[in-house]
């Protein structure tokens, strides 16, 4: 059972900046090593690690496939070009590094750490901004979520072509809810349709404790 008011979350007048709040949290029993202090902000990796060597390997395979297309005839050249493009794009995506949430004093950012580029690839199609102001965050709490994984089964139907198979995975997540934008309000969206994105955790307890930590670090309920 997670404490409702853990000791590290009690208010202190001396903790008037993000670094001091993080130091307080880091010394607590509930500290999660996924949260680190780096470059004057708190960072947490959202996506799984992607080795740099694997990214280069995919790029190399893609380039080789594309080169092969000029030495063979159609339709084999079209197939080689397709796989070359796929491997090249996978390798290029891997070069960007981990998708990371950066928590600053007054805003949050979602970026890729190697190329320092902005990312909009979060678990919510309505969240398209790489920078989120603190005042736009309406709530941070634990949420049980379901993720759909879709793949093609090329052996399912020989005559009708490949079929699509969808499987579902239940996860524990810390969900950050955002306020409706003016455009969303114009479309008539209600407050219960707020955009959001998830930080996945291995267990419910970890997700709950991470939600408490983020509420404390971001000072969501403060002015």
């Amino acid at each position: 059972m997670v404490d409702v008011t853990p000791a590290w979350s009690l208010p202190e007048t001396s903790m008037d900046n993000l670094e001091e709040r993080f130091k307080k949290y880091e010394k607590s029993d509930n500290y999660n090593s996924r949260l680190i202090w780096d470059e004057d902000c708190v960072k947490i990796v959202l996506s799984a690690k992607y080795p740099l060597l694997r990214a280069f390997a995919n790029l190399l395979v893609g380039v080789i496939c594309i080169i092969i297309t000029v030495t063979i005839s159609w339709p084999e050249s079209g197939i080689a070009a397709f796989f070359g493009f796929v491997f090249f794009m996978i390798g290029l995506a891997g070069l960007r590094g981990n998708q990371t949430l950066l928590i600053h004093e007054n805003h949050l950012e979602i970026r890729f750490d190697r190329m320092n580029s902005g990312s909009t690839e979060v678990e919510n199609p309505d969240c398209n901004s790489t920078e989120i102001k603190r005042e736009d965050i309406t709530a941070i709490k634990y949420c049980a979520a379901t993720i759909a994984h879709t793949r093609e089964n090329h052996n399912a139907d020989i005559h009708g072509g490949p079929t699509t198979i969808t499987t579902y995975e239940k996860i524990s997540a810390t969900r950050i809810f955002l306020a409706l934008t003016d455009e969303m309000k114009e479309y008539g969206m209600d407050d219960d349709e707020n955009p959001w994105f998830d930080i996945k955790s291995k267990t419910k307890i970890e997700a709950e404790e991470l939600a408490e930590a983020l509420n404390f670090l971001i000072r969501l309920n403060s002015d």
Side-chain angles (χ1 to χ4, degrees):
M1 179 70 69
V2 179
D3 292 337
V4 177
T5 55
W8 52 266
S9 69
L10 296 178
E12 286 190 14
T13 56
S14 61
M15 294 187 298
D16 58 354
N17 61 70
L18 178 61
E19 184 175 7
E20 290 299 318
R21 293 194 298 275
F22 178 79
K23 288 179 180 178
K24 179 75 173 180
Y25 166 65
E26 191 177 24
K27 295 177 182 177
S28 72
D29 294 334
N30 290 340
Y31 171 64
N32 189 325
S33 59
R34 292 175 64 189
L35 288 166
I36 63 170
W37 179 263
D38 185 37
E39 298 179 339
D40 297 324
C41 67
V42 179
K43 294 182 178 180
I44 179 170
V45 173
L46 300 179
S47 65
K49 292 182 178 180
Y50 196 96
L52 189 60
L53 183 60
R54 186 185 301 174
F56 281 119
N58 282 315
L59 282 173
L60 180 61
V61 172
V63 171
I64 292 175
C65 287
I66 293 174
I67 293 175
I68 290 176
T69 60
V70 300
T71 65
I72 57 179
S73 59
W74 183 264
E76 288 81 5
S77 61
I79 296 174
F82 171 76
F83 281 104
F85 176 77
V86 170
F87 278 104
F88 187 83
M89 294 306 296
I90 292 175
L92 189 62
L95 288 178
R96 297 179 299 179
N98 296 327
Q99 187 186 60
T100 306
L101 175 66
L102 283 64
I103 303 172
H104 299 273
E105 187 68 60
N106 296 311
H107 72 279
L108 280 61
E109 288 182 89
I110 302 172
R111 307 193 70 83
F112 290 104
D113 53 11
R114 286 200 190 115
M115 293 187 175
N116 195 34
S117 61
S119 166
T120 59
E121 300 175 19
V122 293
E123 297 292 332
N124 172 26
D126 295 322
C127 178
N128 296 316
S129 176
T130 61
E131 183 173 316
I132 302 166
K133 296 179 181 178
R134 192 186 73 172
E135 55 265 30
D136 290 335
I137 302 173
T138 60
I140 304 175
K141 56 187 179 181
Y142 160 79
C143 183
T146 301
I147 300 177
H149 301 282
T150 302
R151 63 182 178 87
E152 287 189 351
N153 184 0
H154 295 274
N155 300 320
D157 189 348
I158 298 176
H159 300 289
T163 59
T164 300
I165 298 176
T166 302
T167 57
Y168 298 91
E169 176 189 6
K170 293 184 178 180
I171 64 168
S172 295
T174 301
R175 180 162 292 181
I176 300 180
F177 292 88
L178 307 177
L180 295 176
T181 64
D182 292 338
E183 184 178 359
M184 293 174 185
K185 293 176 181 178
E186 290 178 0
Y187 277 106
M189 295 178 65
D190 299 324
D191 288 337
D192 59 354
E193 298 178 286
N194 290 57
W196 47 264
F197 68 92
D198 286 341
I199 302 174
K200 303 173 188 176
S201 292
K202 295 180 179 179
T203 65
K204 176 182 178 181
I205 292 178
E206 180 185 1
E208 289 176 332
E209 291 181 344
L210 187 57
E212 288 182 344
L214 293 182
N215 274 288
F216 171 67
L217 293 170
I218 298 173
R219 297 179 67 191
L220 187 59
N221 299 320
S222 64
D223 296 328

